[in-house]
Amino acid sequence: MELGSFIIKRLALMVLVIFGVLIIVFIVTRIIPADPVGAILGGNAPPATVDAMRHQLGLDKPIFAQLLDYLGGLLRGDLGTSLVSSRPVLTDILEFLPATIELAVSSIIFAVVLGIILGLLSAVFRNHFIDHFSRVFSILGISLPGFWLGLILILIFYYKLGWLPSGGQYDMFLFPTRTTGLILLDAMIHGEWNVFWNGIKHLILPTFILGYSSTASIARIMRASMLDVLHQNYIRTARAKGLPRKMVILRHALKNALIPVITIIGLEFGSLLSGAVLTETIFAWPGLGRYIVNSLLTLDYPAVSGGTIFIALIYSVVNLAVDILYAAVDPRMRS
Amino acid sequence: MKRKGMGLVGLFLFMAIPLVMAGNIPKDTLVMAMNTEIFKTFDPGVCFEVEPSAFVKNIYANLVTLDIKDGAFTPVGDLAEKWEQSADGKLWTFYLKKGVKFANGDPVKASDVEYSYKRAVKLNKSPAWLFTDTLGLTEDSIKAVNDTTVTITTNGAPANVVLSVLAANIGGVLNEKEVKAHETNGDMGLAWLTDHSAGAGPYVLKEWKRKTQIALTVNKNYYGDTPAIKTILLRDMPEASDRYLSLKKGDVDVAYQITVEEAAGLRDNKDESVQLFTTPGQTLEYVAMNASWGPFKDARVRQAVKYAIDYDAIINKVREGFAIKNQQFLAIGYFGYKESNPFTRDVAKAKKLLADAGYPNGFEVEIVTNESEIRRAEAVVVQSNLADIGIKSNIIIMQAAQMYDKYRNQGLQMIVAGWGIDYPDADALAKPFADYTVKQLAWRNAWLDDKAASMASAAGKEINEKKRAQIYYDLVKYWQDNGPFAMMYQPIEFWGIGNDIKGFDKAFDGYNVHCDFTLISK
C-alpha cells in the first residue's frame, strides 16, 4: 500500500474512533442515575428551581433529541455550554488546554531524553552499576504513586529547601501577557524573561512527577530493544570489521533499537495528556485534566463530552503520527 | 570537565533566583489560598455558593447589610440611609444615601436598584427563589420612585426575613448603565458579569484566571472608609497540605479549608508564625431517616436512632472538637434559638424503644453520604452506634449528582448530610426541616407532618416577634420528638492565618453571612 492511501485510511478510522467515543460518552453520561442540575444548584434548591433549570438546559428532552441537538451544534463547531461555568465549552477547553500541553510536552521531552539515555547505558553496561541504578530507578518510577512522591518533593524542595515553588504556573504577583496561552512561549514572544524563568521553575517538579513513570517505561523498552539489537549478527560483523564500539552503538545499533521506542513514546504522550489529573491537582496546575474530572464530578455533560473529544482527538493524532512514522521507517507496516 | 563545572554553576545560579512569592507579601496585600473550583461566577444575581458569596459581598453594596451585634445578625443600612415598612408589613420604602458612586464613578440611583432586582427575578438563577418564593417578588414589585427612593412590595414576610434576603448576594446592586453596555444577545450582562464586576462595594474584581488566581483591588470610589488592604489575591490550591505548607512558609496569609487535623495541630501546639481563627459555621449537620421507609415509619424507631448516636464522639473525635452540639434546626444566634439538646447516647433506652416498636432484633438499613472525608467518618460512627442496638447498616458513598437525584425523590433510607443556611433567619431553617410543602428536607425524608408544616408556615408570617418566637420554641420540641432528623452539630469553621494579620476575627465573624474584608489589616 502507498503511504498516501495508508494515511487516508488511518484518517478515516480516526474520525470513526472519535465519533464512537462521542456517542459512548454522550449515552453513558445520560443514562447513569444522577442529576447534574441537582449537583450544580446544590442541596438547598427547591424542586421548582431544579425543574426550571433542567428545562432551560434542555435536559428534559428525550435523549435522542438531545443527541441530535448536540451533533447539530458540533457540526457548527459548537461544543455546547458548560452547565457549571456557563461559558462555551470550547472557551473553557481553549483556556485550560495550553497548560496541559505545556506540561505534557515538557514531561515527554524529559522522559524521552532521560529514558533513552538510561535504557541505552543500561544495555551497553549490562550488570554494571549504571544498569542496576537504571533498573531500580525504573521500578520506582512505575511503582511509586505520583501523588505521594509529589507531596514529598514539595515538602523537600519547597518547604525545607525553598528552591522551587509548590505549585501554579507562575508567581502570584506576575500578570503575564497572553497570546497563545502557553506561558513559556508567550513570555518569549513578549520578552518577559522574568516570567519565562519563573515559569521554568514552576515546571520542574510537575514535569518530573508526570514524566517519571514514562521515563521508566521508555528506559525499560529501550534497554530490552538495545540488548536485542546488540546481539544481532550485523552488529557482530561491524565490530569484527574493527569499527570502534562507540560508533557501532550510536550509528548502527541505536537507530534500529529506537523503532519499538517510537510506539511507546506515542502511547506515553497520549497518557500524559489524559492522565495528568493528579499532577495537576497536587501542583495546582490549571490544566484540562482537572477541568474534565471536575466536570465528571458535577456531571457537566457538555464539558465532559467536549473534553473527551479533545483528548480523543489529540490521542488519535499522536497515534496517527506514530503509525505514519512507523510506516515510513518500516514498509511492512503499510500492508 | 570545565563544561561540567559550568553546568553546575548555572544550575546553582538558577536555583538561587528568588521566588517572587517567597514570604514577601506587601503590607497592603492579602494573599489567601483555597480550592477555587467552587467559584462559578461573580454575578450577584447568580452566585449562591458559600465561599464565593463572601467575595461577591465585598464587591457589591446592597440596600442593607448585616452586622453582628450581641452575637446576632442585625440589619444596618448600606446604600440605604433609612427605610420604612407599611402598616400591613408589605410595602417597604428605602431612601438611598446621597453621593454614593459605583466603582467606575457613575452615581448610584434608585433605578439601578430597580434594574438589579428585576434582573435577578427575570434571570431566575439559583438564588432567585429567595426573591420570588421567600419574599413573593415579581418584576412589578420593585419601583424607583425618584433617584433616591425605591419601593418594594413583598408578600408580608417578617421584617428580619425581608432585610436578611436584601442583604444576601442577590440584593447586590449593579450599575445598570455599565451592565447594559456589556449585554450580549439580550443576556442582561450574564456572560460579562461572570468574571467582571459593576458594583459599589469596597473592592473590584480585577482578574479571574480560572484555576490559578482571583485578584480583587480596592474600589477608589467606595463611599466608606478606605480599606487597609488594597489588593486581595486568592490563589487556587486544590491540595489542603499545599495550603498549610504555604501558610507556614509565609507565602499566603490565610489558608481556607485546612484539615481538622491541621487545625487541631495549630490549636494544640502554638506556632509562632501561624494562628488559628474559628467561628460558628452557617450550616447544620444531621442524620435523617426516610419516614416512609419500613421501620422508620414508626416515630419510636426514629427516637431509638436519636438515642443510639454518640454525638460527643462525632464532635470530639471526627471533628476534633470543631463543632457545637446543637440538636435543633435553629442555628446559634438565630431568631428564636434557645439551647435544647435532649439526646445523649443511651443504648438501653434505644433498645427499649426499638423493642416497643416491634423490632427487638433490629433490622438492616442503607446509610448514604457523599465523598466528604468528614461525612464518611461520621457515617462510620453512626454505623457502629446502630450496630450496638441491633441495626445493621451498610454505608453507600455517592457523588453529589447521584445523591441529590435520589434524595429529592425520597429515594434514600438514611442519609448523613448537611444544610447550608440560605439567609440568617429562623424561617430559612424551620421551613426546610419541618414544612414538607416547600419540598426541601422534610419532603425528601417523607415526613409529611401537617402540624409541623403549619407551625413553620405560621411562624414565617408572624410579625409579632414574641408570638413568632413561641411558635418556633413549640415547633422545635415537636420536631425533636417526632421528626426524622437526628441533628448532630453546628460546625465551627476554621482558617489558618499568619500572625501579622489583624482584624480577621471581626471580618469573618459570621462566616459568609457577615464577611467584611475592609476590617482586615497587617
Side-chain angles (χ1 to χ4, degrees), chain A residues 42-44 158 171 201 290 294, chain B residues 17 37 236 251 420 440 444:
Chain A
N44 289 21
Y158 165 67
D171 283 344
K201 277 200 151 191
R290 273 174 68 197
N294 284 313
Chain B
I17 297 171
E37 292 296 350
D236 177 52
D251 289 335
Q440 291 181 321
R444 289 175 202 173

Side-chain angles (χ1 to χ4, degrees), chain B residues 374-437:
Chain B
I374 296 259
R375 297 238 170 92
R376 280 184 294 170
E378 286 165 358
V380 170
V381 174
V382 171
Q383 182 185 43
S384 154
N385 294 159
L386 294 183
D388 292 342
I389 62 167
I391 299 175
K392 184 176 182 299
S393 54
N394 305 306
I395 297 172
I396 298 170
I397 310 292
M398 288 185 181
Q399 289 295 333
Q402 195 184 3
M403 189 174 90
Y404 287 125
D405 188 40
K406 282 184 181 284
Y407 197 24
R408 284 202 166 89
N409 293 304
Q410 303 179 337
L412 302 180
Q413 295 171 6
M414 202 170 182
I415 184 171
V416 175
W419 180 260
I421 306 168
D422 294 312
Y423 52 95
D425 185 83
D427 190 54
L429 290 157
K431 280 189 178 146
F433 278 104
D435 182 356
Y436 72 90
T437 64

Side-chain angles (χ1 to χ4, degrees), chain A residues 202-234:
Chain A
H202 281 77
L203 255 177
I204 293 173
L205 286 182
T207 295
F208 177 75
I209 292 299
L210 189 61
Y212 188 13
S213 68
S214 300
T215 308
S217 304
I218 292 170
R220 281 160 67 101
I221 299 287
M222 184 67 203
R223 180 182 183 274
S225 168
M226 194 68 187
L227 280 174
D228 190 38
V229 171
L230 286 176
H231 286 98
Q232 298 288 322
N233 287 336
Y234 71 91

Side-chain angles (χ1 to χ4, degrees), chain A residues 236-258:
Chain A
R236 214 169 288 136
T237 310
R239 286 287 288 150
K241 278 163 64 182
L243 283 175
R245 190 171 179 232
K246 195 173 172 184
M247 186 184 268
V248 171
I249 290 168
L250 294 179
R251 293 192 60 180
H252 295 266
L254 181 61
K255 198 177 165 191
N256 287 321
L258 277 176

Side-chain angles (χ1 to χ4, degrees), chain A residues 245-312:
Chain A
R245 190 171 179 232
K246 195 173 172 184
M247 186 184 268
V248 171
I249 290 168
L250 294 179
R251 293 192 60 180
H252 295 266
L254 181 61
K255 198 177 165 191
N256 287 321
L258 277 176
I259 291 174
V261 178
I262 292 172
T263 316
I264 198 84
I265 290 172
L267 291 171
E268 287 295 330
F269 187 60
S271 71
L272 288 181
L273 280 168
S274 54
V277 181
L278 283 176
T279 313
E280 287 180 358
T281 303
I282 297 164
F283 293 102
W285 199 261
L288 196 58
R290 273 174 68 197
Y291 175 71
I292 294 177
V293 168
N294 284 313
S295 307
L296 274 169
L297 294 178
T298 46
L299 261 191
D300 186 349
Y301 298 150
V304 173
S305 303
T308 312
I309 290 171
F310 253 82
I311 293 285

